[in-house]
Amino acid sequence: MVGKLILLFIFDKLEVPMQEDIVVDMASSNEWLPYIDCKDGFASLVSSGFLTNVAQSKSKPRYAITSDGRECLSHFYTNIPSSLRDDIVEHIKENRFAYRKKQDYSSDYFKNNDGSYTVVLKIESTSVQLLELKLTIQNRNNAKWIYKNWPEKASTIYEFIHENLLE
């Protein structure tokens, strides 16, 4: 039961919808919960209506805590040790933007029949895909560099395109 409460607490403190894999990775890599307990607890919280998918695009589902989930958490959050609650709150404060970038800015690349590479760069929000760029790149090293650096450059590129198209 405490594992599910920890997951509800994480979603409550994140304050934005998140993909399952990001939350499971966060909880298991920080050793707040074992990976299997995260996966089982997550599935149980979704099936019981304490977490819900709020994504409306074709991307990966993004989950948020429901009002029933908040109510449950408010009754039982003291079952989570205060030191663990403090650790979760601090970690989320320090890493919230990094987690958002990880899910909102995605990239991929693949080799074309002619030997060139196509790099696909996306910016998504909970409800809509904001941008998708497909670039043909002549060599793998450049394609890999773009793929790798997209999360750091996505917001600047989006802003540049948006401003220049609206002039």
Side-chain angles (χ1 to χ4, degrees), residues 1-10 72-73 76 79-80:
M1 167 113 168
V2 174
K4 293 177 195 175
L5 289 172
I6 291 170
L7 289 171
L8 287 175
F9 189 77
I10 291 169
C72 176
L73 181 61
F76 299 106
N79 291 354
I80 304 169

Side-chain angles (χ1 to χ4, degrees), residues 34-100:
Y35 178 83
I36 292 297
D37 293 347
C38 288
K39 294 295 280 183
D40 290 344
F42 192 92
S44 177
L45 290 169
V46 170
S47 68
S48 65
F50 291 154
L51 295 177
T52 188
N53 177 11
V54 296
Q56 296 175 4
S57 69
K58 295 178 183 177
S59 65
K60 289 185 177 182
R62 295 178 187 210
Y63 295 91
I65 189 170
T66 63
S67 56
D68 288 344
R70 285 189 203 287
E71 185 176 340
C72 176
L73 181 61
S74 71
H75 292 297
F76 299 106
Y77 82 97
T78 56
N79 291 354
I80 304 169
S82 63
S83 61
L84 180 55
R85 289 194 314 257
D86 292 344
D87 187 35
I88 291 170
V89 168
E90 187 63 30
H91 180 80
I92 289 173
K93 279 183 187 177
E94 292 174 4
N95 297 288
R96 178 177 283 124
F97 188 66
Y99 288 121
R100 293 275 318 263

Side-chain angles (χ1 to χ4, degrees), residues 3-154:
K4 293 177 195 175
L5 289 172
I6 291 170
L7 289 171
L8 287 175
F9 189 77
I10 291 169
F11 273 98
D12 185 57
K13 296 307 171 193
L14 281 168
E15 299 174 348
V16 294
M18 281 285 160
Q19 296 170 353
E20 176 184 5
D21 57 340
I22 291 173
V23 175
V24 168
D25 181 58
M26 178 193 318
S28 60
S29 66
N30 285 295
E31 299 181 0
W32 301 331
L33 287 172
Y35 178 83
I36 292 297
D37 293 347
C38 288
K39 294 295 280 183
D40 290 344
F42 192 92
S44 177
L45 290 169
V46 170
S47 68
S48 65
F50 291 154
L51 295 177
T52 188
N53 177 11
V54 296
Q56 296 175 4
S57 69
K58 295 178 183 177
S59 65
K60 289 185 177 182
R62 295 178 187 210
Y63 295 91
I65 189 170
T66 63
S67 56
D68 288 344
R70 285 189 203 287
E71 185 176 340
C72 176
L73 181 61
S74 71
H75 292 297
F76 299 106
Y77 82 97
T78 56
N79 291 354
I80 304 169
S82 63
S83 61
L84 180 55
R85 289 194 314 257
D86 292 344
D87 187 35
I88 291 170
V89 168
E90 187 63 30
H91 180 80
I92 289 173
K93 279 183 187 177
E94 292 174 4
N95 297 288
R96 178 177 283 124
F97 188 66
Y99 288 121
R100 293 275 318 263
K101 283 190 339 186
K102 186 174 183 177
Q103 83 174 2
D104 291 349
Y105 306 152
S106 62
S107 59
D108 197 6
Y109 69 95
F110 54 88
K111 190 172 185 175
N112 300 316
N113 292 335
D114 66 358
S116 66
Y117 288 80
T118 297
V119 182
V120 181
L121 309 168
K122 295 180 184 180
I123 299 177
E124 300 173 310
S125 72
T126 301
S127 60
V128 68
Q129 183 170 300
L130 300 173
L131 176 73
E132 179 177 14
L133 291 173
K134 291 184 180 179
L135 305 171
T136 301
I137 307 299
Q138 293 308 309
N139 65 60
R140 183 175 185 268
N141 287 339
N142 288 345
K144 191 174 179 180
W145 187 89
I146 293 168
Y147 162 83
K148 181 180 172 186
N149 288 289
W150 176 243
E152 294 304 316
K153 300 192 180 280

